Amino acid sequence: MAKPKLVALYLSLALGGALCHTSVSAAPESASDAVTQSALSASKPASPLQPQQEQVSINDATAEQLTAVMNGVGLKKAQAIVSYREQYGPFSAIQQLSEVPGIGNALIERNAGRLKL
């Protein structure tokens, strides 16, 4: 006798959830939703093209500083950049980072807004 009641309960929860989801998604956007969405869009991180990003000099930064600022660069790659700089002298262009083992063009492009000479 308890089994049919349990099945009925599950069905009513499933149908109620489906109906609730449909009515919520079809409902017009309220003012509080608009405020929440605008607050969320304002808190998104800056794109690589915006100058508000922290920049690091590839000729002066330590491995730790490079790791902290560059996206996709861990301590090992940052140490490779510093070692290359110590061995061959300062970089004359940011694109020259591609000569460092483990640093590819995609990584340089991803971090272009974060790098300076």
Side-chain angles (χ1 to χ4, degrees), residues 1-56:
M1 188 141 192
K3 190 173 184 179
K5 289 183 181 180
L6 189 59
V7 170
L9 176 65
Y10 285 147
L11 285 174
S12 65
L13 288 173
L15 288 174
L19 290 174
C20 180
H21 178 68
T22 304
S23 64
V24 169
S25 64
E29 186 177 296
S30 68
S32 65
D33 290 341
V35 170
T36 303
Q37 284 185 347
S38 65
L40 286 175
S41 64
S43 67
K44 288 182 182 176
S47 72
L49 300 176
Q50 294 179 348
Q52 299 159 339
Q53 284 184 330
E54 183 180 355
Q55 288 190 324
V56 63

Side-chain angles (χ1 to χ4, degrees), residues 6-116:
L6 189 59
V7 170
L9 176 65
Y10 285 147
L11 285 174
S12 65
L13 288 173
L15 288 174
L19 290 174
C20 180
H21 178 68
T22 304
S23 64
V24 169
S25 64
E29 186 177 296
S30 68
S32 65
D33 290 341
V35 170
T36 303
Q37 284 185 347
S38 65
L40 286 175
S41 64
S43 67
K44 288 182 182 176
S47 72
L49 300 176
Q50 294 179 348
Q52 299 159 339
Q53 284 184 330
E54 183 180 355
Q55 288 190 324
V56 63
S57 169
I58 59 174
N59 286 326
D60 298 326
T62 64
E64 290 79 15
Q65 291 169 330
L66 291 168
T67 301
V69 174
M70 293 179 70
N71 185 9
V73 174
L75 192 55
K76 189 172 182 175
K77 284 185 182 178
Q79 287 171 339
I81 293 170
V82 173
S83 295
Y84 183 92
R85 182 179 70 208
E86 290 172 351
Q87 185 175 359
Y88 297 104
F91 294 96
S92 57
I94 292 175
Q95 194 60 33
Q96 194 179 359
L97 278 173
S98 64
E99 298 173 11
V100 177
I103 306 293
N105 288 331
L107 185 69
I108 296 168
E109 289 176 22
R110 186 181 334 145
N111 289 289
R114 296 179 173 101
L115 302 174
K116 63 182 180 180

